[in-house]
Amino acid sequence: MMTPRRFNPSDNRPRQPFGRSGRTPTPRRARRFRTPRRRLHDVALGAGMVVALLGLAAAEDRGWLGWVDRADAWVDGMRAPWSSGPAATPVAARHVPLCPPEYRRGGGGVTCITDGDSGVADGEPWRLTTRSGGVDAPEVGRPECAAERTAGDRATRRLQALMSGGYTMSGGSADKHGRRLVTVTLADGGDAGEVLIGEGLAQPWPTSGNPWC
Protein backbone atom coordinates (compact mmCIF):
# COMPACT_ATOMS: atom_id res chain seq x y z
CA MET A 1 0.00 0.00 0.00
CA MET A 2 1.41 3.34 -1.06
CA THR A 3 1.75 6.11 1.48
CA PRO A 4 0.17 9.35 0.19
CA ARG A 5 2.61 12.16 -0.35
CA ARG A 6 2.19 15.06 1.97
CA PHE A 7 2.09 18.58 0.70
CA ASN A 8 5.22 20.53 1.58
CA PRO A 9 4.97 24.30 0.95
CA SER A 10 8.78 24.56 0.80
CA ASP A 11 9.00 22.07 -2.02
CA ASN A 12 9.47 24.25 -5.21
CA ARG A 13 10.11 21.42 -7.61
CA PRO A 14 7.99 21.64 -10.75
CA ARG A 15 5.09 19.33 -10.88
CA GLN A 16 5.23 16.58 -13.50
CA PRO A 17 2.59 17.12 -16.18
CA PHE A 18 0.03 14.51 -16.98
CA GLY A 19 1.00 11.66 -19.27
CA ARG A 20 3.18 8.63 -19.02
CA SER A 21 6.14 10.15 -20.87
CA GLY A 22 6.23 13.26 -18.79
CA ARG A 23 5.97 15.50 -21.88
CA THR A 24 3.14 17.79 -22.69
CA PRO A 25 1.27 16.28 -25.61
CA THR A 26 1.34 18.41 -28.77
CA PRO A 27 -1.65 18.59 -31.07
CA ARG A 28 -1.25 16.67 -34.33
CA ARG A 29 -0.82 18.85 -37.43
CA ALA A 30 -3.85 18.90 -39.55
CA ARG A 31 -3.44 16.87 -42.69
CA ARG A 32 -3.51 18.98 -45.85
CA PHE A 33 -5.56 17.75 -48.71
CA ARG A 34 -6.90 19.23 -51.92
CA THR A 35 -10.56 19.76 -52.38
CA PRO A 36 -12.27 18.40 -55.49
CA ARG A 37 -12.63 21.96 -56.76
CA ARG A 38 -8.88 22.57 -56.47
CA ARG A 39 -8.12 19.31 -58.25
CA LEU A 40 -10.53 20.21 -61.03
CA HIS A 41 -8.83 23.62 -61.41
CA ASP A 42 -5.39 21.99 -61.74
CA VAL A 43 -6.64 19.52 -64.32
CA ALA A 44 -8.32 22.27 -66.36
CA LEU A 45 -5.17 24.42 -66.25
CA GLY A 46 -2.97 21.58 -67.45
CA ALA A 47 -5.39 20.67 -70.22
CA GLY A 48 -5.57 24.30 -71.34
CA MET A 49 -1.79 24.55 -71.62
CA VAL A 50 -1.66 21.36 -73.68
CA VAL A 51 -4.39 22.61 -76.02
CA ALA A 52 -2.62 25.98 -76.41
CA LEU A 53 0.68 24.33 -77.31
CA LEU A 54 -1.00 22.03 -79.81
CA GLY A 55 -2.83 25.00 -81.33
CA LEU A 56 0.39 26.98 -81.76
CA ALA A 57 2.10 24.02 -83.38
CA ALA A 58 -0.80 23.53 -85.80
CA ALA A 59 -0.92 27.25 -86.63
CA GLU A 60 2.79 27.28 -87.38
CA ASP A 61 2.49 24.23 -89.63
CA ARG A 62 -0.34 25.84 -91.59
CA GLY A 63 1.49 29.17 -91.88
CA TRP A 64 -1.07 31.08 -89.85
CA LEU A 65 1.68 32.77 -87.85
CA GLY A 66 3.19 34.43 -90.90
CA TRP A 67 2.02 37.81 -89.62
CA VAL A 68 4.70 37.58 -86.92
CA ASP A 69 7.42 37.37 -89.54
CA ARG A 70 5.77 40.14 -91.52
CA ALA A 71 5.67 42.35 -88.42
CA ASP A 72 9.40 41.75 -87.81
CA ALA A 73 10.14 42.53 -91.45
CA TRP A 74 8.05 45.70 -91.21
CA VAL A 75 10.02 46.88 -88.18
CA ASP A 76 13.35 46.11 -89.86
CA GLY A 77 12.18 47.79 -93.06
CA MET A 78 11.14 50.93 -91.23
CA ARG A 79 14.59 51.33 -89.74
CA ALA A 80 16.28 51.44 -93.12
CA PRO A 81 14.23 54.09 -94.96
CA TRP A 82 14.24 56.62 -92.11
CA SER A 83 17.91 56.26 -91.17
CA SER A 84 19.92 59.46 -91.27
CA GLY A 85 23.54 60.30 -91.82
CA PRO A 86 26.30 58.33 -93.53
CA ALA A 87 25.29 55.11 -91.74
CA ALA A 88 21.93 54.88 -93.55
CA THR A 89 21.18 51.37 -94.80
CA PRO A 90 20.77 51.11 -98.60
CA VAL A 91 17.69 49.46 -100.08
CA ALA A 92 18.75 46.85 -102.63
CA ALA A 93 17.80 47.25 -106.28
CA ARG A 94 14.26 46.02 -106.85
CA HIS A 95 11.20 47.07 -108.76
CA VAL A 96 9.26 49.78 -106.90
CA PRO A 97 5.62 49.70 -108.05
CA LEU A 98 3.22 52.60 -108.40
CA CYS A 99 0.85 53.04 -105.47
CA PRO A 100 -2.69 51.70 -105.83
CA PRO A 101 -5.33 54.38 -105.16
CA GLU A 102 -6.14 52.97 -101.70
CA TYR A 103 -2.52 53.23 -100.53
CA ARG A 104 -1.48 56.63 -101.91
CA ARG A 105 -1.80 58.11 -98.44
CA GLY A 106 -0.01 55.24 -96.75
CA GLY A 107 -1.01 52.07 -94.97
CA GLY A 108 -0.96 48.41 -95.85
CA GLY A 109 2.77 48.08 -95.27
CA VAL A 110 3.42 48.76 -98.96
CA THR A 111 6.38 50.47 -100.62
CA CYS A 112 5.43 52.34 -103.79
CA ILE A 113 5.64 55.59 -105.77
CA THR A 114 2.71 58.02 -105.66
CA ASP A 115 3.94 60.65 -108.14
CA GLY A 116 7.12 62.47 -109.10
CA ASP A 117 7.83 63.82 -105.63
CA SER A 118 6.12 61.49 -103.14
CA GLY A 119 5.60 57.86 -102.24
CA VAL A 120 5.09 55.34 -99.46
CA ALA A 121 7.77 53.31 -97.67
CA ASP A 122 6.52 50.30 -95.71
CA GLY A 123 3.15 51.96 -95.26
CA GLU A 124 4.42 55.42 -94.26
CA PRO A 125 4.02 58.31 -96.72
CA TRP A 126 6.98 60.52 -97.62
CA ARG A 127 7.69 63.69 -99.62
CA LEU A 128 10.82 64.09 -101.70
CA THR A 129 13.39 66.78 -100.94
CA THR A 130 16.98 67.41 -102.01
CA ARG A 131 20.11 68.06 -100.02
CA SER A 132 19.56 71.79 -100.54
CA GLY A 133 15.76 72.20 -100.46
CA GLY A 134 12.33 70.97 -101.51
CA VAL A 135 11.13 69.42 -104.75
CA ASP A 136 7.92 70.11 -106.67
CA ALA A 137 6.96 67.72 -109.47
CA PRO A 138 4.02 68.19 -111.88
CA GLU A 139 0.64 67.26 -110.43
CA VAL A 140 -0.95 64.00 -111.47
CA GLY A 141 -4.10 63.99 -109.35
CA ARG A 142 -5.21 67.59 -109.94
CA PRO A 143 -3.23 69.04 -112.85
CA GLU A 144 -3.97 72.56 -114.09
CA CYS A 145 -3.69 71.48 -117.71
CA ALA A 146 -3.21 68.38 -119.88
CA ALA A 147 0.49 69.18 -120.36
CA GLU A 148 1.06 69.09 -116.61
CA ARG A 149 -0.63 65.71 -116.38
CA THR A 150 1.65 64.36 -119.11
CA ALA A 151 4.74 65.81 -117.41
CA GLY A 152 3.55 64.39 -114.08
CA ASP A 153 3.29 60.91 -115.54
CA ARG A 154 6.82 61.20 -116.92
CA ALA A 155 8.19 62.42 -113.58
CA THR A 156 6.46 59.57 -111.77
CA ARG A 157 7.89 56.95 -114.10
CA ARG A 158 11.34 58.50 -113.91
CA LEU A 159 11.38 58.49 -110.09
CA GLN A 160 10.18 54.90 -110.17
CA ALA A 161 13.03 53.89 -112.45
CA LEU A 162 15.62 55.75 -110.37
CA MET A 163 14.56 54.17 -107.07
CA SER A 164 14.22 50.69 -108.59
CA GLY A 165 17.99 50.73 -109.09
CA GLY A 166 18.57 50.89 -105.33
CA TYR A 167 18.50 53.84 -102.97
CA THR A 168 19.02 55.14 -99.46
CA MET A 169 16.36 57.27 -97.80
CA SER A 170 17.31 59.73 -95.07
CA GLY A 171 15.43 62.41 -93.19
CA GLY A 172 12.62 62.30 -90.71
CA SER A 173 10.76 65.59 -90.14
CA ALA A 174 7.17 65.72 -91.36
CA ASP A 175 5.27 68.26 -93.45
CA LYS A 176 1.81 69.64 -92.66
CA HIS A 177 0.20 66.57 -94.25
CA GLY A 178 2.12 64.17 -92.02
CA ARG A 179 4.48 62.98 -94.76
CA ARG A 180 8.15 62.39 -94.01
CA LEU A 181 10.48 64.84 -95.72
CA VAL A 182 13.25 62.64 -97.09
CA THR A 183 16.26 62.79 -99.37
CA VAL A 184 16.62 59.81 -101.70
CA THR A 185 20.23 59.00 -102.48
CA LEU A 186 20.60 56.68 -105.45
CA ALA A 187 22.93 53.69 -105.72
CA ASP A 188 25.45 55.76 -107.69
CA GLY A 189 25.44 58.51 -105.05
CA GLY A 190 23.19 60.89 -106.98
CA ASP A 191 20.28 62.80 -105.46
CA ALA A 192 16.93 61.68 -106.94
CA GLY A 193 15.37 65.11 -106.46
CA GLU A 194 18.27 66.89 -108.16
CA VAL A 195 18.13 64.44 -111.05
CA LEU A 196 14.45 65.21 -111.63
CA ILE A 197 15.08 68.95 -111.44
CA GLY A 198 18.05 68.70 -113.80
CA GLU A 199 15.95 66.79 -116.36
CA GLY A 200 13.12 69.36 -116.21
CA LEU A 201 10.74 66.90 -114.57
CA ALA A 202 10.56 68.85 -111.29
CA GLN A 203 11.40 72.28 -109.93
CA PRO A 204 12.83 73.53 -106.63
CA TRP A 205 10.40 74.31 -103.83
CA PRO A 206 9.15 76.97 -103.06
CA THR A 207 8.12 77.67 -106.63
CA SER A 208 7.37 80.84 -108.56
CA GLY A 209 4.64 79.38 -110.77
CA ASN A 210 3.62 76.45 -112.89
CA PRO A 211 6.09 76.01 -115.77
CA TRP A 212 4.15 73.11 -117.32
CA CYS A 213 0.99 75.03 -118.21
Side-chain angles (χ1 to χ4, degrees):
M1 180 175 179
M2 296 179 60
T3 304
R5 185 180 178 182
R6 297 181 180 181
F7 174 73
N8 186 359
S10 63
D11 187 359
N12 294 326
R13 290 179 301 174
R15 296 288 185 264
Q16 182 177 357
F18 296 102
R20 293 183 179 180
S21 64
R23 293 179 299 176
T24 303
T26 57
R28 296 184 63 183
R29 182 174 299 177
R31 184 178 180 181
R32 299 181 63 183
F33 63 93
R34 295 187 176 183
T35 62
R37 180 178 299 178
R38 179 62 180 273
R39 292 178 181 176
L40 181 61
H41 175 270
D42 294 343
V43 172
L45 181 60
M49 294 178 64
V50 172
V51 172
L53 292 175
L54 292 176
L56 287 174
E60 186 175 1
D61 292 338
R62 294 176 177 270
W64 293 347
L65 298 182
W67 63 270
V68 177
D69 296 333
R70 292 193 296 270
D72 292 339
W74 181 83
V75 172
D76 294 338
M78 286 303 296
R79 292 172 182 169
W82 309 131
S83 299
S84 59
T89 304
V91 176
R94 63 182 181 184
H95 175 69
V96 183
L98 300 181
C99 292
E102 62 270 24
Y103 292 126
R104 288 178 180 174
R105 296 184 181 273
V110 300
T111 295
C112 54
I113 302 297
T114 302
D115 54 30
D117 58 17
S118 62
V120 178
D122 293 316
E124 188 168 357
W126 52 265
R127 174 67 186 269
L128 184 65
T129 63
T130 66
R131 300 185 182 99
S132 58
V135 176
D136 177 47
E139 291 292 334
V140 175
R142 296 180 180 179
E144 296 182 2
C145 62
E148 183 178 9
R149 175 58 186 269
T150 301
D153 289 338
R154 291 177 56 199
T156 303
R157 296 291 182 179
R158 180 56 173 155
L159 180 60
Q160 179 187 25
L162 291 172
M163 294 182 63
S164 294
Y167 62 91
T168 301
M169 195 173 283
S170 59
S173 60
D175 65 5
K176 63 180 180 180
H177 300 292
R179 297 174 297 183
R180 298 279 186 175
L181 299 176
V182 300
T183 300
V184 176
T185 303
L186 304 175
D188 61 0
D191 186 309
E194 293 178 352
V195 171
L196 293 176
I197 293 175
E199 295 178 356
L201 298 176
Q203 60 179 337
W205 178 269
T207 67
S208 57
N210 188 340
W212 299 284
C213 291

